[in-house]
Amino acid sequence: MSPSRTTKPRSAPKGARRPTSRKAALRKASAKRPARTTSSRNPARAAPARKPARAPAPSAAPRRPASRADFGAHIDGFFARQPPGHRAILEALRALVDEAAPDAASSLKWGMPVYTLGGKMFCALGSHKAHVNLVMAGPPSAFADPDGRLAGQGDGRHLRLTALEELPRDQVRGWLRVAVEAARAKLG
């Protein structure tokens, strides 16, 4: 055996404190104190009551996004905010829409002017950074487009314009008539 194992551990000199672990010190301190009861507890120092658990949000009804501030507003403000190049195209398209459906209602939806007949949308005008769109609702096959100027295959077609000189007025009149007829057909 090695000499370190056979020798006795050194004892501390009389009156000196031995280092103790934190756990041992806590155990010793708690043994000296009397146990606390709820009746001796100071209510002013009591811990705050726990809040009740929040009920989870019902998952059956999905949250709807907040509506736009301009939803349903008059369309004149939209035209006034446009840059001059876009405004000229938009005003020309507005005149063609008014000619095709003088009884149409117009308001802002999705941040752009939307034209409806009896609550059914037939066209919308959109202004983007580099171009203007004329969006026409109706079956895509109903819009005759021999020059291939219309885009979109969904629930309608759209015409993309970057300059007033690009506007095919006669074709737009025909496409708007088709969109108006499709909207009126939906009314029944």
Side-chain angles (χ1 to χ4, degrees):
M1 269 193 169
S2 69
S4 64
R5 289 192 179 187
T6 57
T7 59
K8 281 184 159 180
R10 284 189 345 186
S11 59
K14 202 167 194 172
R17 287 193 158 172
R18 269 180 90 181
T20 58
S21 69
R22 180 160 171 76
K23 282 185 182 178
L26 288 174
R27 256 186 268 125
K28 199 181 257 187
S30 65
K32 291 179 184 175
R33 269 190 251 141
R36 292 179 94 175
T37 61
T38 54
S39 61
S40 67
R41 189 175 223 174
N42 183 355
R45 292 182 53 200
R50 284 190 169 183
K51 292 182 182 177
R54 267 178 82 176
S59 60
R63 270 191 164 179
R64 293 188 65 178
S67 63
R68 292 180 55 102
D70 61 358
F71 182 77
H74 198 270
I75 63 174
D76 289 335
F78 173 83
F79 290 96
R81 288 190 308 268
Q82 302 307 312
H86 283 72
R87 190 177 312 139
I89 301 168
L90 290 165
E91 290 290 347
L93 289 171
R94 183 182 192 180
L96 291 171
V97 171
D98 289 340
E99 179 185 316
D103 56 334
S106 61
S107 65
L108 287 180
K109 294 180 185 174
W110 308 293
M112 60 184 169
V114 174
Y115 293 86
T116 59
L117 288 168
K120 302 295 180 187
M121 178 183 137
F122 73 91
C123 79
L125 305 176
S127 179
H128 304 279
K129 188 175 182 178
H131 67 279
V132 170
N133 267 353
L134 168 64
V135 181
M136 296 165 287
S141 59
F143 299 102
D145 185 23
D147 300 333
R149 297 197 51 139
L150 295 178
Q153 296 298 322
D155 192 25
R157 307 289 300 269
H158 67 270
L159 175 67
R160 182 180 171 150
L161 300 166
T162 56
L164 184 58
E165 297 77 38
E166 297 176 353
L167 179 62
R169 293 177 191 276
D170 292 334
Q171 284 182 314
V172 169
R173 283 185 184 98
W175 294 328
L176 287 172
R177 275 194 296 272
V178 170
V180 167
E181 289 170 11
R184 288 197 171 126
K186 287 180 184 176
L187 292 173

